Each structure stands twice: as C-alpha cells, then as structure tokens.
C-alpha cells in the first residue's frame, strides 16, 4: 500500500512539474535566454554577472530589443527586458498612469524609504512638487554656484596639486566621490564633512552609500527568498545593507535633530530673515512650519536620502566616465580646451573656476558630457510594474504586475537609435550645423529619465559637471595608468570597478 502511495505521489509530482514546465513555455513567448528546468534563465545571468551590462546589451540586440526573462521556478522573478525607445516612451509617458514603481520596488529599494524615487501616485506628486519648489528658489542657483566654486578652489585643486607634486597615482573616482559628498552635504545639510583633503580620510557614511547601492543591485539578481533569508540571518550582502542603513540613518537623523534645534533658536530670537546661503533641509523645514504642516523626521530622512543619491552618486558617475573618455580621446580634449580659450579667454586667474553663465556658453563641452552620459548613464537600468494588461509598441503583451526593466546602458549602444557609430565617443553628434545643441527626445536619451518622472536636478547636475570639468582640464592633463581598462561595477549606479587610476600632469600654458 505504502509503495503504491509512493508511486502515486511521484506520478502526481512528475505530472505537476510537466504541466508547470509547459505553462512557463506558453507564458514566456519571447525568451531571451535558455529556460532551464527549475533554475529558469538565472544560470546564464550568473555566469555573465561580471559583465552583465554588456551581456544584456548583446542579448537584447539578438532578440530585437525586447524579450522575457524568467527566474527559478516559484520565485516570481519574471521580467520583461527592453531597450526599445518606443516602449520606453509608452511606459514612461503615453501610459504613465498604468505603470508604477510598486511595492516590490519599495521592498528592494527600502533604503530610499517613501522618498521621490520610490513613491507612486499622490505621494510621488507631492514629493515632486515639493522638490521642484526647493530647486526653483530664486537664490538656489547662486548658492549652488558658490558652494561648487568654493569646494573646487579650496579642496579639489589643492588635492590635485598635492598629487602632482608627490608624483603619485590617484583614484579619480574616489576623489570625485569625496568632492560630490562634501558638496551635497553642504547643499542639503549646510555641513561640510571635508572628505576631500590631502590625507584622504575614511568616512564611514560615504562608504555606507556605496554598500547600499551594491546590495540593491544584488537583490535584482538573486531570488527574493534568498536575500530575505540572508537579511533574517544577518549574513552576506544583506549584513552590509543593514549596517549601511544604520550608519546612514544615524547620520541623517542627527543632522535633522541639529537643524530642528537651530531653527527653534532662530524662531525664538525672531531671526527669520532669509539669506542666499540656506541649505535645502533648512528651507524644507521652514516651508513646513510656514504651511502649518511640520514634516516628521521620517519624511525628512527619506527626502534627504533621495537628494544624496541623486546629487552625489549620479554626479560622481558622470564625472568619472567623462574623464575616462576624455583622457583616452585626446582630440576631444583638445577641442574642449580650444572652445574654453575661444569663448572664455586665457586669463589664468579667471579660468580657475568658471561661473554658471560662463559654462553655459560651452557647447562642445555640453556635447561631450551628453555623449559620455549616453554611453555610461549613471543609472544603467530603470524598472516599472504594470497595473493593468497592456500591449507595448513592440507587440509584446504585458500582464498585470509584469515588471519591465529598461536597459539604458543598452539603449546608448543601439545602432537603431544612434547609428552605426554608436560605440564611438563623438561629441559632434550633439552639435548642429549652426553650432547649437541638437535636440534628442528624452525617450531615446534617458540619462535623466523621461516623461513626468524626468529628473528635476538635470540642470543642477550639468552645472556641477561643467564647473568641475573646466577647472581640472584648464590646469591639468590626466593620464590613465598604462594598461588600465575601465569596467562597470555591479551596482544600481554605474561606477568604474576598482576606480579610475590616473597620474596628474600640469598643463603647459
């Protein structure tokens, strides 16, 4: 009897597996990779994880730009991958209200809290309107310019001078990480931690941001049950995430408490006059008090964290890849320098750190930055979840709760979008015959997102990148260490694995 029951159970199990196998085959109509029994398509991803961005680009090209990915059985790790700009426009603009970040996104990106990057619906609209208001304050651009100018003049250039005098190799990415961290701390919190100094101090909070980003990427390539178990056991990558979030929260909440205390003192003394040098957190807290809806610590913490990721990580990535490309393309470097000389002049003192109005004149530099962002977008992929069934322009059907991953890195390498020379670094593709900037629809050039979620800090980012780029290029020639090849890291922000090692040479005037 027991033997018969055992055979029956085995038969039922086998039948169930066969039915489930064929169900997956039917539901996965456009497979990107080989769908192995039980393991799904995950094995090929894990085997190519070290080059995942280029691997995804190759696969999407072979499959016409869009296809299905299915993870291990019963993990619900199923995605629709796409690099088709028409699909991007449909999801991010045309049918915007049918596609959300969703609860799964917020679970994976838990460090972002309920801030702008993770919010949906009314919460997203409220956060976006508030941040738009903060960035459009009449004094903000002047405050930004003054902050960047001071940090370049008092820290960045002296550190580069020191490195030059020592004749040593420097990790330019680490240097930019420190620069942007100091900048964003001052812009958001009114506090400069002085990470960028000649002794290169180790700053725990700065390291925590990097580890949080790496863990979020890790959560995209392993089943949820695995990383949830790691989190529960407090092991592996999730242990780093827990410790990083603790460090980040302690730092941000301490800053919020200090701001509340200072603001209360100002109110008691009737010191309410506005100045041009007011950080975003202070402005936000004042705005809350004036509206009679004082923001709680959690809301402020989430807003500050989102500011940090947008204002630090993205700018660091953009600067690092820009200098990698310029250092390995001397003709582009020569043209940037020629434009600076032609439109700004060659006065040594005047050229140290350019103003906002001066950098806006540099069209070729703008093209070079756009070209760098095309090839190496700071956020290499974007994800959305469908609320209702839909049909994409590519002809692919979407079911409710389907997660769509847009590969921005792959889009920058698409011949259909950019032509046969898409792998070349050509700032000229951004410049018209009349010498102006060529307009490219944001659903094709998605470095700053597209549609209603277009990045509010786009102009702020360009200002910082241009001010830093011109200050460095005017005084120094950067030479990449011989034999070094830049490779993308594995994180939600596209940085260079192991940094960008360069030597510094004084430019002959």
């Amino acid at each position: 009897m027991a033997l018969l029951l055992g055979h029956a159970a085995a038969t039922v199990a086998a039948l169930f597996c066969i039915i489930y196998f064929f169900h997956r085959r039917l539901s996965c109509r456009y497979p990107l990779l080989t769908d192995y029994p039980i393991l799904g398509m995950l094995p090929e991803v894990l085997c190519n994880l070290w080059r995942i961005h280029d691997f995804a680009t190759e696969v999407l090209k072979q499959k016409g730009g869009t296809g299905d990915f299915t993870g291990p059985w019963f993990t619900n790790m199923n995605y629709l991958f796409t690099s088709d700009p028409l699909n991007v426009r449909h999801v991010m603009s045309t049918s915007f209200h049918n596609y959300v970040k969703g609860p799964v996104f917020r679970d994976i990106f838990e460090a972002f809290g309920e801030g702008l990057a993770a919010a949906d619906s009314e919460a997203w609209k409220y956060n976006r309107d508030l941040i738009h208001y903060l960035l459009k304050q009449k004094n903000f651009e002047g405050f930004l310019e003054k902050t960047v100018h001071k940090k370049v003049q008092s820290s960045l250039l002296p550190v580069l001078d020191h490195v030059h005098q020592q004749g040593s190799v420097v990790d330019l990415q680490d240097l930019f990480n420190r620069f942007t961290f100091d900048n964003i701390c001052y812009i958001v919190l009114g506090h400069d931690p002085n990470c960028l100094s000649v002794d290169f101090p180790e700053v725990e909070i700065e390291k925590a941001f990097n580890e949080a980003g790496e863990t979020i990427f890790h959560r995209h390539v392993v089943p949820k049950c695995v990383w949830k178990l790691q989190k529960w056991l407090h092991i592996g990558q999730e242990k780093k995430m827990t410790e990083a979030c603790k460090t980040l929260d302690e730092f941000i909440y301490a800053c919020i408490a200090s701001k509340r205390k200072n603001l209360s003192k100002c109110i008691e003394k009737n010191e309410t006059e506005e100045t041009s040098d007011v950080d975003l957190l202070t402005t936000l807290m004042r705005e809350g008090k004036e509206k009679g809806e004082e923001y709680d610590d959690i809301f402020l913490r989430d807003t500050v964290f989102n500011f940090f990721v947008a204002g630090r990580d993205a700018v660091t990535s953009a600067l690092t890849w820009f200098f990698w490309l310029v250092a390995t393309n001397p003709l582009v470097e020569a043209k940037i320098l020629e434009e600076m000389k032609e439109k700004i002049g060659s006065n040594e003192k005047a050229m140290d750190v350019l103003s906002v109005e001066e950098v806006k004149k540099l069209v070729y530099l703008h093209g070079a930055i756009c070209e760098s962002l095309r090839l190496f977008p700071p956020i290499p992929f974007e994800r959305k979840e469908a609320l209702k069934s839909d049909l994409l322009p590519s002809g692919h059907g979407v079911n409710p709760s389907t997660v769509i991953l847009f590969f921005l890195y792959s889009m920058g390498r698409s011949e259909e979008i950019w032509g046969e020379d898409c792998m070349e670094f050509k700032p000229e593709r951004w410049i018209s015959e009349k010498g102006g900037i060529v307009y490219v629809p944001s659903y094709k050039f998605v470095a700053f997102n597209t549609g209603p979620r277009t990045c509010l800090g786009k102009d702020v980012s360009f200002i910082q990148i241009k001010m830093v780029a011109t200050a460095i290029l005017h005084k120094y020639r950067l030479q990449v260490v011989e034999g070094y090849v830049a490779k993308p890291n594995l994180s939600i922000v596209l940085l260079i694995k192991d940094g960008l090692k360069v030597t510094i040479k004084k430019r002959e005037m």
Side-chain angles (χ1 to χ4, degrees):
M1 186 67 173
L3 188 60
L4 287 172
L5 287 173
H7 280 304
T11 302
V12 170
L15 184 62
F16 176 77
C17 287
I18 291 170
I19 292 171
Y20 187 75
F21 177 77
F22 281 105
H23 166 71
R24 281 172 66 96
R25 289 289 185 186
L26 290 171
S27 59
C28 183
R29 291 179 292 170
Y30 308 98
L32 285 169
L33 304 167
T34 303
D35 188 7
Y36 295 96
I38 301 177
L39 297 176
M41 300 179 189
L42 190 58
E44 282 191 69
V45 169
L46 295 179
C47 288
N48 290 277
L49 194 59
W50 61 279
R51 56 182 288 270
I52 191 63
H53 301 295
D54 291 311
F55 175 67
T57 300
E58 292 165 10
V59 171
L60 284 166
K61 280 184 179 180
Q62 292 169 6
K63 300 296 182 177
T66 305
D68 296 316
F69 172 88
T70 55
W73 292 11
F74 307 109
T75 61
N76 199 31
M77 197 176 168
N78 306 320
Y79 306 113
L80 181 71
F81 286 8
T82 187
S83 58
D84 186 330
L86 297 181
N87 287 344
V88 172
R89 180 173 62 178
H90 178 83
V91 172
M92 304 298 280
S93 298
T94 310
S95 298
F96 175 76
H97 294 293
N98 188 44
Y99 294 90
V100 296
K101 295 290 186 177
V104 176
F105 180 98
R106 283 185 283 279
D107 199 19
I108 293 173
F109 287 76
E110 63 177 320
F112 285 73
E114 296 294 328
L116 182 64
D120 283 317
S121 305
E122 292 304 314
W124 166 77
K125 189 175 186 308
Y126 181 84
N127 274 278
R128 187 173 178 83
D129 289 346
L130 185 61
I131 291 174
H132 183 265
Y133 164 80
L134 293 174
L135 297 182
K136 293 301 178 182
Q137 291 287 296
K138 63 180 181 180
N139 294 323
F140 178 70
E141 188 176 281
F143 175 48
L144 171 72
E145 179 179 5
K146 189 184 295 185
T147 301
V148 176
H149 188 285
K150 182 179 179 182
K151 179 52 60 174
V152 171
Q153 195 77 287
S154 64
S155 298
L156 181 60
L157 296 180
V159 167
L160 289 172
D161 269 334
H162 175 76
V163 172
H164 165 67
Q165 290 167 10
Q166 295 292 314
S168 55
V169 173
V170 67
D171 179 355
L172 200 62
Q173 181 167 269
D174 178 50
L175 190 146
F176 288 145
N177 243 334
R178 294 168 180 277
F179 172 83
T180 56
F181 185 71
D182 284 352
N183 255 0
I184 199 65
C185 272
Y186 195 78
I187 291 167
V188 176
L189 304 172
H191 163 68
D192 185 350
N194 289 312
C195 292
L196 183 58
S197 60
V198 293
D199 53 348
F200 288 91
E202 184 170 325
V203 180
E204 194 176 6
I205 181 70
E206 196 261 350
K207 181 182 176 184
F209 273 104
N210 294 336
E211 291 182 341
E214 290 168 5
T215 303
I216 290 171
F217 181 89
H218 175 260
R219 289 179 177 184
H220 278 85
V221 295
V222 300
K224 182 178 179 179
C225 58
V226 174
W227 67 260
K228 282 285 187 180
L229 179 62
Q230 287 184 323
K231 184 178 180 181
W232 183 66
L233 294 174
H234 196 58
I235 60 172
Q237 197 70 41
E238 289 300 319
K239 179 181 179 181
K240 292 182 179 180
M241 180 64 146
T242 301
E243 292 172 351
C245 286
K246 182 181 177 183
T247 300
L248 293 167
D249 286 351
E250 286 176 354
F251 171 75
I252 295 173
Y253 281 127
C255 290
I256 291 170
S258 176
K259 286 291 175 188
R260 285 200 190 282
K261 187 175 180 181
N262 291 340
L263 198 56
S264 295
K265 286 181 179 178
C266 288
I267 291 172
E268 286 175 10
K269 296 177 181 178
N270 292 319
E271 295 177 357
T272 57
E273 68 273 7
E274 293 188 5
T275 68
S276 60
D277 296 343
V278 178
D279 59 84
L280 293 176
L281 179 58
T282 298
T283 304
L284 181 59
M285 293 171 80
R286 283 181 180 174
E287 171 70 7
K289 283 186 175 295
E290 289 173 7
K291 290 165 61 177
E293 49 177 283
E294 189 168 335
Y295 303 117
D296 62 30
D297 285 2
I298 295 176
F299 177 85
L300 293 174
R301 178 262 173 219
D302 292 347
T303 303
V304 167
F305 184 90
N306 280 256
F307 266 130
F308 265 81
V309 173
R312 168 196 176 262
D313 294 352
V315 175
T316 295
S317 170
L319 280 168
T320 304
W321 287 109
F322 170 80
F323 274 96
W324 155 255
L325 289 167
V326 169
T328 52
N329 288 272
L331 288 178
V332 171
E333 180 181 38
K335 288 181 180 180
I336 292 172
L337 292 169
E338 182 61 33
E339 180 182 56
M340 288 167 58
K341 183 177 180 181
E342 179 186 322
K343 295 189 176 179
I344 310 299
S346 56
N347 182 284
E348 176 73 21
K349 190 173 182 181
M351 285 285 282
D352 265 3
V353 187
L354 301 183
S355 68
V356 170
E357 291 306 313
E358 286 173 325
V359 297
K360 285 180 179 178
K361 299 175 184 177
L362 303 174
V363 175
Y364 189 83
L365 174 64
H366 187 91
I369 294 169
C370 287
E371 186 71 342
S372 174
L373 292 169
R374 174 183 73 83
L375 289 167
F376 299 103
I379 308 300
F381 65 92
E382 179 68 74
R383 62 178 284 156
K384 284 282 194 167
E385 182 177 324
L387 294 174
K388 299 177 183 178
S389 296
D390 195 12
L391 183 67
L392 299 180
S394 60
H396 295 77
V398 173
N399 297 318
S401 299
T402 295
V403 174
I404 303 177
L405 286 183
F406 303 104
F407 283 81
L408 281 57
Y409 181 93
S410 303
M411 291 178 70
R413 289 158 170 72
S414 168
E415 291 184 9
E416 286 74 18
I417 302 174
W418 301 102
E420 293 181 0
D421 61 354
C422 62
M423 297 302 295
E424 295 180 33
F425 178 53
K426 288 178 61 177
E428 289 80 7
R429 79 173 79 241
W430 295 89
I431 302 170
S432 69
E433 293 181 1
K434 294 181 178 180
I437 298 295
V438 170
Y439 168 75
V440 176
S442 59
Y443 63 87
K444 293 183 178 180
F445 176 56
V446 202
F448 294 97
N449 217 320
T450 184
R453 280 189 178 266
T454 296
C455 177
L456 291 169
K458 178 179 177 179
D459 293 338
V460 171
S461 298
F462 269 116
I463 287 171
Q464 291 188 73
I465 295 166
K466 289 175 182 178
M467 288 179 71
V468 172
T470 51
I472 293 177
L473 290 173
H474 172 63
K475 294 195 70 173
Y476 307 102
R477 183 170 58 85
L478 308 182
Q479 188 170 343
V480 178
V481 172
E482 189 175 348
Y484 181 82
V485 178
K487 298 177 182 178
N489 68 335
L490 300 180
S491 181
I492 57 168
V493 178
L494 196 69
L495 297 170
I496 297 180
K497 184 181 178 182
D498 302 323
L500 178 56
K501 306 299 193 303
V502 301
T503 55
I504 310 291
K505 304 293 182 184
K506 273 282 182 74
R507 196 175 294 283
E508 294 181 9
M509 301 299 173

